[in-house]
Amino acid sequence: MNLNSILIGSEDPQPLVEYYTKLFGEPGWSDFGYTGWQIGSGTITVGPHDQVKGKNAEPGRVIWNIETADVKSEFDRFVEAGATVVQEPYSPGDEESGLIATFADPDGNYFQLMSPMEPQ
């Protein structure tokens, strides 16, 4: 199996499209109200969903991650682009475990930058 994409449904996806375009650049596609970006080997897509209303009441329930070897530089780049910071870069354990930084999108969904982590 291979997890290849994440779809974020929204009552109003346009603010998400604008937000993620600032962070990831121009979308790779936009069709039928759905807009997406290729990030590494996976994709992130935002679009309308009739069962979603308002902001995410439990943003920590599902958190998606973007792996990067340089969390601090990418964190700074995201902040300059207007990202909403939930948690600045931190090490979840010892120094060898790398860094994680958490952000929120306009609907309150959480996503993270994280250092590559080796399976244990």
Side-chain angles (χ1 to χ4, degrees):
M1 291 190 290
N2 177 42
L3 177 65
N4 72 353
S5 64
I6 296 171
L7 170 63
I8 300 175
S10 179
E11 179 178 27
D12 182 12
Q14 190 55 40
L16 295 177
V17 170
E18 293 168 7
Y19 180 81
Y20 287 121
T21 297
K22 289 179 190 175
L23 302 184
F24 306 139
E26 288 301 313
W29 65 92
S30 188
D31 293 314
F32 306 106
Y34 293 88
T35 303
W37 296 262
Q38 182 82 36
I39 302 174
S41 63
T43 62
I44 177 77
T45 304
V46 298
H49 198 291
D50 64 355
Q51 295 179 11
V52 176
K53 303 291 182 221
K55 293 193 180 278
N56 188 343
E58 296 179 315
R61 183 176 293 253
V62 175
I63 301 174
W64 53 280
N65 299 308
I66 301 169
E67 186 178 85
T68 178
D70 192 348
V71 170
K72 288 182 180 178
S73 291
E74 290 297 326
F75 173 85
D76 291 341
R77 187 177 70 76
F78 277 22
V79 169
E80 282 184 33
T84 302
V85 176
V86 173
Q87 176 69 50
E88 293 193 14
Y90 69 96
S91 179
D94 58 27
E95 287 299 316
E96 293 180 24
S97 64
L99 295 173
I100 298 174
T102 308
F103 300 91
D105 71 16
D107 277 5
N109 303 302
Y110 286 179
F111 63 100
Q112 298 179 133
L113 291 171
M114 64 185 308
S115 301
M117 295 187 186
E118 298 295 322
Q120 302 210 356

